Amino acid sequence: MPDSPEWMRGIRKRFDYGWRYDNVRGVLPDRTIMLDNGYAELEREVQERGLARLAPLSCFQCGSCAALCPAGTGTTEKTGWSVRQTLHKMQLGLEHSEYDDIWLCTTCLRCSVDCPRGVDIADLLANLRKVRTALGVGAMPASIERAMKNIAGTGNPFGESRERTEWAAGLDVPRFRRGMELLYFPCCFNAYDSMAKGVAKATVRILSHSGVDFGILDSQERCCGESVRKAGDESLFRSLAQHNIGVFAENGVRKILTNSPHCYKTFKSEYPGLGGEFEVIHSTQYFAQLIKDGRLKLTRRLNKRVTYHDPCYLGRHSGVYHEPRELLRAIPGLELVEMPDCGQRSLCCGGGGGRIWLDTQKGERLSDLRLEQAARTGAGVLATSCPYCLINFEDSRLTGPGEETIVTKDIAELLWEAL
Amino acid sequence: MKENVLILGGGVAGMQTALALSNIGIASTLIEKEPQLGGRVRNYEKLFPSFESGRRLVETLEQQLLTASFVDVRLQTKVACVDGQPAHFNVWVENHRDVLQANALVVATGFEPFDCSLQEEYGYGIYRNVISATELERFLDSSGPTAGEVRRPSDGGIPETIAIVFCVGSRSDRVGSKYCSRICCSFSTKHAIEIKEKYPQAKVTCFYIDIRTYGRGFEEMYRRAQEMGVTYIRGRVSECSELLNGDITIRAENTFLGRPLQGVFNLVSLSHGMRPSKDASHIAGMLGIAVAEDGFFQTRDMHLYPNDATRDGVFLAGSATGLKPVPDCIADGNSVAARVHEFLRRMDIKGDEHA
């Protein structure tokens, strides 16, 4: 009978059921994913090129990552982004096609906070970009490409001259010499960007004021390369890192201080793999120690209500949450208030993963949302400790409708005001 | 009068029941229709989640039975007829003249694998390289027909790409059974790990509806499979078809991506569910106990009396009441011994003084 398994088996024995799959594309649009069991070959290729393993093996598709991914909730209709789906595609080995805009990811790591299987998702996505670059698949957005070319050319993403110390003009900053305790390494943004330069200036003033034995290197330094690696240009990253490691070693650098959590993370976690073992400290950690040691005394009152934004690369990536708050609480007269989505759950400003060089459309800027969250606490100042955050939030304020008056400042700037 | 308990079924549940009874001084007759004890576990190369040998487990139980004082094992024996009443049953055994006296009866008759040819769209029995989990288990048995190698039926070669299809014949209104067979997600994951251990370069893909690796150590086993590179795709397989070279094309919805997926595999293993044993209703009739809607034996109360049948003096152990993993079968054996002991005391049946 036509509904019995026996009858159906009889039919099945007589025909090639696969014919329909092959010929449907002539009749209907077909969205079928073709599972390429040659995934093992791709893995081999990945290994041969020394790239990290691609698939997030222990992901079980629960989706905890996707619902709070900042990039997953604020995109245009045309581009869909689901970190969960992207991870599954990586599991299936679909590297060569089928990736919705992977450039939407800022590597903020919000996804990994609650991941039950402990997958380092941002790391994997960076690897995905790296693999695609290495295999010549998928284009890098034009403005990121430009930044890469500039970095390769003159050691900074802006295409400015190699001379990195113009920000220090008139400040009498010592040049680093062998035997000094500390090398101060300003991020490219701290060195060249008009807004972020203020942070570098404040930092060296605080260091000098506190009698710290430090110095800066000059045009020998290049960009730390953190976002180069995230953008997928592994060979450029390695050449930058190896160059910097060589320069540091030649000059006898042992300890590096930086304002940028991105530089911090890359020096601390990525340079050792290429032979560069240095002690790395973020400015907030160092300043907090100076205050504890009594070398830095804050005497001027700042009667401000301040809220603090945990930068992704300082908080989630590096686990530094307390020192920035200690510093703010140490400023006389300063009232520190917290905002929602703080600490481990901090909402990304949108600058990581190379996106600092992308022009994000108004209406899709995470920093707009974050700034509003900050303003709702009633604070007049949004404090942070990352150059990308600083630039993004101030940009949001200046391009906003004019209602937000909350000003963003780096903690170093606030400390300098309180000296 | 010498007390005696009749146990139908010499699988691990029945064996443990006999041992547990013997340990508290109660005699039993263990009846098994096959020529050896151990039921299905005897031929499992590995048990989940420990990956210890099923055969060795059965041999351990057999050793204990040999030295147990009060167990009478009868192989290649089936029950023909039972009459009498609780605490005084008469049991006629096929091909034997004697009538056994039993004060209590224990049903430990296990289960039956689902017949995969009923799910015709997978091509079991039509496409050469579609096998069942039972057959895969035989391949994996180092003392089995292929000495532990997994081979493609079409050409005897070792497959490089293998698909494991979950939920065949379970959780289905249309075919098989409505219930979940409970252990298939776990044994399928075990199979995936066994294959990867033997053939590290093999690509193993599992197609599932849910992952129900619920027991102690089972989630960890699932994670281990994933970390060995087994791919899990959520989507019940819709159809298989065969290519000229014997490879099988699988078509399934990839619910993670919301799109259909198609993949070609050298070998497909259908992880089928389990049905009640073929003799279940016949035995139920013989013993005057009820069978539930799902075909397994009805327990007196789901929560409080999970080892009592619906008639006084009759008890149930092992997968006869629904699929369960080995530790649960052993626990059933121990529970039944306690229930039997309580029953015999309540009925004032005392054994002779056993020296």
Side-chain angles (χ1 to χ4, degrees):
Chain A
M1 294 295 100
D3 59 353
S4 77
E6 294 76 29
W7 192 87
M8 293 302 302
R9 276 207 298 278
I11 300 289
R12 185 166 287 275
K13 279 185 193 150
R14 288 161 51 197
F15 296 106
D16 167 23
Y17 273 65
W19 182 92
R20 177 167 73 95
Y21 312 154
D22 297 332
N23 286 278
V24 70
R25 278 171 219 98
V27 178
L28 291 171
D30 189 23
R31 300 149 51 237
T32 302
I33 297 162
M34 300 303 287
L35 185 67
D36 174 11
N37 277 311
Y39 179 64
E41 284 162 35
L42 176 69
E43 273 281 297
R44 225 169 291 136
E45 224 180 317
V46 164
Q47 284 191 21
E48 274 165 22
R49 289 165 197 254
L51 304 169
R53 186 228 269 135
L54 199 54
L57 291 181
S58 57
C59 165
F60 59 3
Q61 291 290 294
C62 67
S64 313
C65 51
L68 288 174
C69 166
T73 50
T75 58
T76 58
E77 276 170 20
K78 268 190 268 185
T79 58
W81 169 255
S82 165
V83 57
R84 171 188 68 79
Q85 290 192 350
T86 302
L87 290 173
H88 183 60
K89 288 177 187 175
M90 291 163 83
Q91 286 179 326
L92 297 182
L94 301 179
E95 283 71 20
H96 291 276
S97 60
E98 312 247 353
Y99 285 95
D100 302 313
D101 202 343
I102 60 172
W103 296 99
L104 287 169
C105 174
T106 64
T107 67
C108 79
L109 225 56
R110 182 69 177 81
C111 45
S112 296
V113 169
D114 292 319
C115 173
R117 286 286 179 89
V119 179
D120 186 345
I121 298 169
D123 192 46
L124 282 166
L125 281 160
N127 279 336
L128 179 61
R129 291 180 189 168
K130 195 193 306 181
V131 168
R132 284 160 63 81
T133 307
L135 297 174
V137 180
M140 217 183 260
S143 48
I144 296 185
E145 188 112 46
R146 220 164 20 246
M148 299 291 120
K149 279 212 178 73
N150 288 335
I151 292 174
T154 57
N156 67 79
F158 308 102
E160 303 261 3
S161 92
R162 281 192 185 283
E163 185 47 61
R164 288 175 79 92
T165 54
E166 275 182 31
W167 60 271
L171 288 178
D172 204 18
V173 182
R175 198 205 174 276
F176 184 86
R177 268 184 310 281
R178 181 176 294 275
M180 274 179 166
E181 184 205 336
L182 207 58
L183 168 73
Y184 172 54
F185 182 95
C187 164
C188 296
F189 280 83
N190 290 129
Y192 294 100
D193 180 88
S194 51
M195 204 188 299
K197 268 185 205 176
V199 180
K201 293 183 191 176
T203 301
V204 297
R205 281 173 171 145
I206 293 169
L207 292 173
S208 301
H209 180 93
S210 312
V212 176
D213 180 31
F214 81 100
I216 56 171
L217 283 171
D218 44 40
S219 56
Q220 294 173 71
E221 282 177 348
R222 292 192 191 149
C223 174
C224 68
E226 184 269 329
S227 40
V228 172
R229 195 174 227 183
K230 299 296 187 313
D233 196 339
E234 182 67 10
S235 58
L236 177 57
F237 172 75
R238 279 171 195 246
S239 81
L240 286 168
Q242 273 151 6
H243 173 88
N244 280 337
I245 290 168
V247 165
F248 295 159
E250 264 169 45
N251 284 279
V253 171
R254 285 164 302 150
K255 191 166 170 177
I256 306 174
L257 175 95
T258 180
N259 300 106
S260 166
H262 294 264
C263 303
Y264 174 83
K265 173 126 200 234
T266 211
F267 288 149
K268 202 166 159 114
S269 344
E270 295 174 331
Y271 273 40
L274 294 165
E277 299 254 9
F278 306 99
E279 195 188 330
V280 192
I281 191 160
H282 185 261
S283 49
T284 54
Q285 295 174 306
Y286 196 72
F287 294 155
Q289 193 58 48
L290 287 177
I291 289 186
K292 263 206 194 82
D293 294 344
R295 293 167 74 181
L296 175 58
K297 291 185 177 51
L298 307 168
T299 50
R300 284 179 63 204
R301 284 188 77 83
L302 291 185
N303 292 328
K304 295 183 178 181
R305 175 182 274 186
V306 175
T307 188
Y308 176 65
H309 164 81
D310 293 273
C312 304
Y313 272 74
L314 192 60
R316 276 189 290 271
H317 280 262
S318 306
V320 179
Y321 301 103
H322 294 295
E323 290 93 325
R325 290 174 167 83
E326 280 168 28
L327 289 172
L328 291 169
R329 279 194 278 264
I331 295 177
L334 190 149
E335 181 198 355
L336 175 62
V337 295
E338 298 287 354
M339 52 176 158
D341 295 317
C342 66
Q344 260 196 332
R345 304 194 183 286
S346 181
L347 182 63
C348 181
C349 75
R355 288 195 68 82
I356 193 69
W357 299 307
L358 284 176
D359 229 338
T360 310
Q361 272 185 44
K362 203 64 185 150
E364 288 179 20
R365 292 184 191 172
L366 290 168
S367 50
D368 290 353
L369 182 65
R370 189 59 164 159
L371 194 70
E372 193 185 327
Q373 261 189 333
R376 282 157 140 247
T377 63
V381 177
L382 170 56
T384 187
S385 40
C386 170
Y388 295 0
C389 298
L390 174 68
I391 286 163
N392 280 342
F393 293 141
E394 280 292 275
D395 184 66
S396 285
R397 179 177 67 87
L398 296 166
T399 59
E403 290 154 17
E404 304 301 4
T405 53
I406 180 169
V407 176
T408 305
K409 287 203 182 280
D410 190 287
I411 292 183
E413 294 174 301
L414 290 169
L415 286 175
W416 180 244
E417 284 178 42
L419 272 182
Chain B
M1 194 211 88
K2 187 167 180 248
E3 72 202 351
N4 186 43
V5 177
L6 187 84
I7 304 170
L8 280 83
V12 295
M15 294 169 83
Q16 183 63 21
T17 308
L19 284 170
L21 285 168
S22 179
N23 287 338
I24 55 178
I26 297 175
S28 63
T29 306
L30 180 58
I31 290 190
E32 167 55 48
K33 68 181 188 232
E34 298 294 332
Q36 70 273 324
L37 292 174
R40 301 191 184 272
V41 178
R42 170 167 224 115
N43 293 316
Y44 294 161
E45 179 74 7
K46 307 253 190 231
L47 298 174
F48 60 83
S50 64
F51 288 80
E52 286 167 16
S53 157
R55 171 159 304 113
R56 219 164 294 140
L57 182 104
V58 165
E59 285 166 2
T60 304
L61 292 173
E62 274 181 316
Q63 276 300 308
Q64 291 174 4
L65 278 171
L66 279 175
T67 56
S69 315
F70 309 121
V71 185
D72 173 22
V73 176
R74 304 223 185 165
L75 301 173
Q76 281 179 295
T77 302
K78 284 174 87 164
V79 169
C81 172
V82 174
D83 73 13
Q85 60 214 5
H88 302 286
F89 296 106
N90 304 311
V91 182
W92 276 261
V93 156
E94 280 178 8
N95 305 326
H96 280 65
R97 296 273 166 78
D98 57 336
V99 176
L100 295 170
Q101 309 271 290
N103 307 108
L105 306 172
V106 178
V107 179
T109 48
F111 64 85
E112 198 74 33
F114 169 72
D115 175 7
C116 295
S117 62
L118 291 175
Q119 212 156 333
E120 139 289 321
E121 65 272 25
Y122 294 159
Y124 181 74
I126 304 170
Y127 305 142
R128 294 160 288 164
N129 293 319
V130 175
I131 64 172
S132 72
T134 304
E135 287 162 346
L136 180 61
E137 202 60 72
R138 296 307 297 127
F139 284 151
L140 291 166
D141 182 357
S142 47
S143 328
T146 57
E149 297 291 340
V150 177
R151 293 193 181 281
R152 268 164 48 102
S154 64
D155 58 12
I158 309 283
E160 287 172 9
T161 54
I162 297 128
I164 300 179
V165 179
F166 286 32
C167 256
V168 177
S170 299
R171 302 181 66 190
S172 171
D173 281 358
R174 180 178 76 84
V175 69
S177 332
K178 296 188 191 201
Y179 51 80
C180 164
S181 293
R182 215 177 145 188
I183 59 170
C184 334
C185 284
S186 298
F187 74 59
S188 302
T189 297
K190 179 198 72 145
H191 287 163
I193 292 173
E194 280 182 277
I195 292 169
K196 285 295 278 185
E197 277 179 340
K198 258 194 221 297
Y199 313 108
Q201 298 307 312
K203 190 82 195 88
V204 182
T205 306
C206 295
F207 292 88
Y208 68 93
I209 307 176
D210 295 294
I211 300 288
R212 292 182 168 184
T213 47
Y214 61 90
R216 187 176 189 185
F218 297 5
E219 171 69 18
E220 293 87 332
M221 177 178 63
Y222 168 42
R223 186 175 187 157
R224 184 178 159 212
Q226 286 190 281
E227 287 172 356
M228 290 173 87
V230 176
T231 302
Y232 280 80
I233 296 177
R234 185 181 181 277
R236 185 174 183 276
V237 172
S238 297
E239 187 173 62
C240 296
S241 69
E242 188 181 47
L243 297 174
L244 283 173
N245 65 358
D247 283 348
I248 306 293
T249 303
I250 278 186
R251 231 179 127 85
E253 173 82 351
N254 186 325
T255 62
F256 295 146
L257 301 175
R259 291 158 59 186
L261 174 142
Q262 199 169 303
V264 174
F265 300 91
N266 300 146
L267 182 72
V268 173
S269 173
L270 303 176
S271 282
H272 50 73
M274 312 299 169
R275 314 296 309 279
S277 91
K278 284 204 194 74
D279 314 323
S281 4
H282 174 65
I283 291 169
M286 265 202 298
L287 271 51
I289 60 177
V291 149
E293 204 192 310
D294 62 5
F296 291 92
F297 294 100
Q298 175 77 54
T299 58
R300 186 166 140 205
D301 180 274
M302 183 183 276
H303 301 287
L304 288 173
Y305 298 103
N307 294 106
D308 287 34
T310 49
R311 186 185 182 191
D312 224 8
V314 186
F315 301 92
L316 309 164
S319 293
T321 53
L323 264 299
K324 45 181 73 81
V326 166
D328 293 33
C329 295
I330 302 291
D332 267 10
N334 297 334
S335 307
V336 165
R339 295 297 300 139
V340 165
H341 181 59
E342 189 260 6
F343 171 69
L344 295 178
R345 285 173 69 152
R346 181 160 47 89
M347 302 300 276
D348 218 13
I349 309 288
K350 292 180 184 53
D352 294 342
E353 291 299 313
H354 300 288

